[in-house]
Amino acid sequence: MKKIMGGMFFMKKYLIIILALVMLLGMIGCNNNSDETVKEEESTVTEDADNGQSLQVNEYGWEVPEKPLKITFYAGYDDQAEVDKIAEPMAKFYKEKFNVEIEKIVYSIDMNEKLNLMLASGDYPEVITNMDDEMAEKFIRQGKAIDLTSLIEEYAPNIKEKLGKYMNLLKADDGKIYKLPRGWGENPNVAGWDFGVRYDWWKEIGSPAYKTPEEYYQVVKQIMDKHPTNANGEKVYALSDNSQGAALYGAMLSAYGFKNGYKVDESAEQFTHWMNTPEGYDIAKYINRFYREGMLDPDFLSNKFEDWQAKVMNERIVGNIGTWWHLWVAGQEAWSQQEQEKYNIEKRYMNATVKAPNVENATDVASDFLGNYRVIITDKAKDPESIMKWFNWELSGIGTMITGYGQPDPNNVWDIKDGKWMFNDSALDYAKKNENYHAVKEKFGAQSFWMVAPAGWFKDEHLDTRVTRVSVYDMWPVTSDGKFLDEGVNMSWANVEGKSWDSTLYRVTFKADDPITNINQTIKDSLLSEWAKMITSKSEAELEENFNNSRDKLNKLGLHDLEEFYAASYKANVEKLNQ
């Protein structure tokens, strides 16, 4: 992929720069195809023909303004005092090296609730990031988000290059772009939806393979029979949950090949919600079996994450049908930090790709290139051109690294050495991944001012050769033949296929004034309560009755309209992508 220097192309009406200067710019470690070297204090100077001010391009590829660039943005729920404290190192770094002053605003209130209040009062900042797609649409339709189309064209070559064809999917009905993704890119995960099980307990019963839902059930049942209670005499359960039961059907749908909850016939452009399929009943029947046989934690509908994690750490949960990283964080990461040198690497959870019979491909690993979050520049921005320049820098290679990991420094997890972005040995130890993730935020303010950078796979010619790809969350050290360097990772994922499917075209945008938006929300809310009734049925006959009643109720609420809407959105996305 061609690399484009962030600061090099947003100069406007500059005097001609001599060739030697261009060659010097090519050595700056940002986005360039040559063998670049990034060193402290390297910079170049250009002159703005409009006002005659000197413009310095710093060693990180940013065109340093003569007057401080000030950006204020709102990023969602958090404690302002804590956020300000953590952001101090990054704020100082940006001020000294970039002449950029960024104010991050957060509130201890739900983000959507606060954004609605902002819309009503008209009191909102220049930039809003981390907002969901529906809320971004609200601001757009009320004229509060400015048109970014020409700004991207003139000042943001990195955005054009890195979003590529997916830029078309961000266009509004008028063909203009008012929002950009935040936390986007190829999915960095190898696993997705999880059919997890305690690895050491699995070995105790002979390491039986499980590739179907029934085989998984038999494995966790055998383990539960062997471990009926933990060391404190507390009952052990095969499964639990921390999402009101939603993760249970989410993972099961992936085993049946559903896409974002729908059975899809691409050729016919037909979408059928899982509640309107025979497989939907099979899924409810499968989970209900765990409940009726006393294998499901009775608190599964009410557990908060912390409650669920405590049960995992106290060895009361055999497995998980849900999100892969939940068990990872609550299990081996927590145990290794708690037990330190006494930790046994086999005390962990493993995962396997599970498919229902006659299903060709599971959909457990979805890669939505545009992600779930959006950023807008509002009509309050006094200098949107400079904000777009900053967005463009954040999307440069070095900008993404600094945004995600903090400033390069010998005491950070990474530094710049002879033009390479090198990680320290600790960063390559997967057992310390979670520890490092928090350390770079707490010690260096990493991610404090994250507005538009990607969160997916990031690869660059400057990247440490021991690492194949990184994201703002992970470093992925692997051997030359593609295996993970970490023995524990290989244990956990030895039976995972890791085949991802591109779910980007299957996402939909719900607009505030569209009746389908209310239908969608009503169905989402109702489905949770109906699902709870189904899987807590006391008999199979009761389950069948509850399932049929729930299906009829959801269809009366407009589920068929929602199916048609998803099909139409998919068709429109295909057409947009191919423009």
Side-chain angles (χ1 to χ4, degrees), residues 128-144:
I128 302 173
T129 194
N130 207 32
M131 62 200 313
D132 64 37
D133 204 53
E134 294 173 43
M135 187 56 71
E137 282 297 318
K138 268 192 177 183
F139 274 75
I140 292 168
R141 294 182 74 80
Q142 293 190 29
K144 309 302 183 185

Side-chain angles (χ1 to χ4, degrees), residues 474-578:
D474 298 291
M475 286 69 73
W476 293 85
V478 300
T479 62
S480 58
D481 60 355
K483 292 185 178 179
F484 291 98
L485 291 175
D486 187 272
E487 182 184 358
V489 176
N490 289 321
M491 287 179 184
S492 293
W493 285 349
N495 298 301
V496 174
E497 290 181 2
K499 295 179 181 178
S500 66
W501 64 283
D502 188 347
S503 62
T504 313
L505 292 174
Y506 296 83
R507 71 162 36 257
V508 300
T509 294
F510 291 99
K511 298 177 180 178
D513 56 353
D514 193 330
I516 199 67
T517 301
N518 289 331
I519 291 174
N520 176 61
Q521 190 59 53
T522 300
I523 287 175
K524 282 175 64 176
D525 295 341
S526 298
L527 182 56
L528 274 177
S529 58
E530 295 302 316
W531 172 247
K533 291 179 189 175
M534 287 182 264
I535 57 175
T536 56
S537 300
K538 296 180 175 59
S539 67
E540 192 171 326
E542 183 180 322
L543 166 65
E544 184 174 3
E545 180 181 0
N546 285 337
F547 183 87
N548 290 335
N549 289 339
S550 295
R551 180 193 59 208
D552 293 343
K553 177 180 178 179
L554 293 173
N555 283 329
K556 288 177 181 177
L557 290 173
L559 190 53
H560 290 308
D561 293 332
L562 199 59
E563 291 171 335
E564 292 178 4
F565 180 74
Y566 267 80
S569 294
Y570 172 76
K571 182 179 179 180
N573 285 341
V574 171
E575 292 173 353
K576 275 187 176 182
L577 192 71
N578 295 326

Side-chain angles (χ1 to χ4, degrees), residues 23 25-28 31-37 461-462:
M23 293 174 66
L25 278 170
M27 296 177 66
I28 297 175
N31 291 309
N32 191 298
N33 284 328
S34 63
D35 293 330
E36 298 134 321
T37 301
E461 61 187 7
H462 300 94

Side-chain angles (χ1 to χ4, degrees), residues 240-251 274 287 296 299-303 321-322 527-528 531-532 535:
S240 185
D241 189 62
N242 57 63
S243 63
Q244 297 178 269
L248 293 168
Y249 70 71
W274 67 270
I287 299 299
L296 185 58
D299 300 325
F300 79 101
L301 291 173
S302 59
N303 281 331
I321 296 178
L527 182 56
L528 274 177
W531 172 247
I535 57 175

Side-chain angles (χ1 to χ4, degrees), residues 84 165 182 320 354 451 466 570:
D84 291 342
K165 62 182 180 180
R182 181 267 198 194
N320 185 58
V354 168
M451 283 181 263
R466 298 171 297 171
Y570 172 76

